[in-house]
Amino acid sequence: MYATVRTYSTSPEMADALVSNEADVKSLISGIDGFHAYYLVRTADGAVSISVYDNETGADESTTAAAQWIRENLPNIAGSAPQVSAGEVVITA
């Protein structure tokens, strides 16, 4: 498995905006081949998302799709690009 963590720290409203569009977000992320899980964590200065896929291809596609969706649907909140960390999942519980 492969996971991507995106940290959106430019707007405290980011989590609220994503929750308001929950159905669209879930459909976008879960529609990518190899999808396993998605989590959104509200933080003091924005949000952190965790996406888990079978492989790097799905994880990379999710980052591209998320960026495009945010640019198109949340242009006033988007701010700068999120910090993205990605890698192979080596322990699960």
Side-chain angles (χ1 to χ4, degrees):
M1 285 189 297
Y2 206 86
T4 300
V5 178
R6 291 181 289 275
T7 302
Y8 302 93
S9 58
T10 58
S11 173
E13 294 84 23
M14 179 59 81
D16 292 336
L18 292 171
V19 169
S20 294
N21 291 280
E22 181 176 352
D24 290 343
V25 172
K26 285 182 175 180
S27 176
L28 176 74
I29 298 299
S30 66
I32 296 170
D33 285 342
F35 173 78
H36 280 271
Y38 175 80
Y39 305 95
L40 181 69
V41 179
R42 183 186 317 273
T43 63
D45 58 352
V48 173
S49 69
I50 302 114
S51 304
V52 183
Y53 290 87
D54 283 337
N55 54 42
E56 185 175 2
T57 302
D60 288 348
E61 186 177 337
S62 77
T63 296
T64 301
Q68 180 177 343
W69 188 91
I70 288 171
R71 276 192 308 274
E72 292 174 1
N73 295 280
L74 305 174
N76 297 331
I77 296 175
S80 61
Q83 177 183 350
V84 179
S85 300
E88 181 183 0
V89 175
V90 294
I91 296 177
T92 62

